[in-house]
Amino acid sequence: MTVLDHGDDDSGDFAAVAYREEEYWDVDLLPVALTHDLKGLIHALRQQPSISGSLGLVSVGDDFFIIVRVYGGEVSLFLSDVTASVDWQVARDVLDYLDIDLPDDDDLDQVLPAGDLSVVADLGLDEMELGALAGDLDLYPDEVLASVSERLGFAQSFQRVLDGMG
């Protein structure tokens, strides 16, 4: 299996961090390089002070998204589509972190999520809803993450950050 090099065409890629300070959510854009660096992303999320941990929301092209939650020493990961691991190293890195095998050729015709479906359940988005959003093939990854941000209560801040990408 060969990992494709997607070069520098990361114009649609973004990584954002969301964290709570007291009763309010803050959302900041992270360097786009973190969309391809899982270890760097986790490190950046650990730098954010928050009572409920920090969330990394990563969109990679039109292909898939990743939600990372760092809470204390714990890291929870959700990958929207395991088949992305065929073409994207960061998706492979998520599967490696989760100790999940790469999909077989027979499994490449199904879009299936991997990881912790309850990654944000305590914040207001349960497993069934996240699974349904991830499986909606009519939505682009940024649209799914916008829906996630709406359900968790930081849609305006999230949209403002994305609008600032320019």
Side-chain angles (χ1 to χ4, degrees):
M1 190 179 308
T2 303
V3 176
L4 299 178
D5 180 12
H6 292 278
D8 294 329
D9 185 23
D10 54 11
S11 59
D13 299 356
F14 68 83
V17 59
Y19 56 96
R20 288 182 70 151
E21 288 191 290
E22 298 181 24
E23 296 298 317
Y24 302 98
W25 283 97
D26 282 327
V27 180
D28 294 312
L29 204 56
L30 295 170
V32 72
L34 294 179
T35 63
H36 306 290
D37 179 6
L38 181 62
K39 288 181 183 178
L41 176 65
I42 292 170
H43 177 76
L45 296 177
R46 283 196 168 119
Q47 306 307 307
Q48 300 301 321
S50 177
I51 58 172
S52 60
S54 58
L55 292 176
L57 305 169
V58 178
S59 174
V60 180
D62 294 340
D63 296 321
F64 66 99
F65 67 90
I66 302 168
I67 299 176
V68 181
R69 185 170 185 191
V70 175
Y71 188 58
E74 293 184 37
V75 176
S76 298
L77 295 167
F78 177 80
L79 173 65
S80 66
D81 180 8
V82 296
T83 64
S85 63
V86 172
D87 295 328
W88 299 93
Q89 184 61 48
V90 70
R92 278 188 175 201
D93 293 343
V94 170
L95 293 183
D96 287 345
Y97 193 93
L98 295 170
D99 198 25
I100 296 175
D101 293 332
L102 295 175
D104 294 329
D105 289 341
D106 297 337
D107 298 328
L108 296 179
D109 59 348
Q110 297 180 5
V111 175
L112 296 173
D116 186 1
L117 278 165
S118 64
V119 65
V120 289
D122 63 317
L123 299 174
L125 182 65
D126 67 34
E127 297 91 343
M128 294 290 285
E129 245 185 312
L130 181 57
L133 284 169
D136 189 338
L137 300 180
D138 292 330
L139 296 176
Y140 289 107
D142 62 323
E143 295 171 327
V144 174
L145 292 176
S147 292
V148 168
S149 72
E150 183 177 343
R151 286 169 171 81
L152 299 183
F154 56 88
Q156 288 181 335
S157 298
F158 183 73
Q159 192 58 52
R160 189 170 33 254
V161 165
L162 292 187
D163 290 346
M165 286 177 28

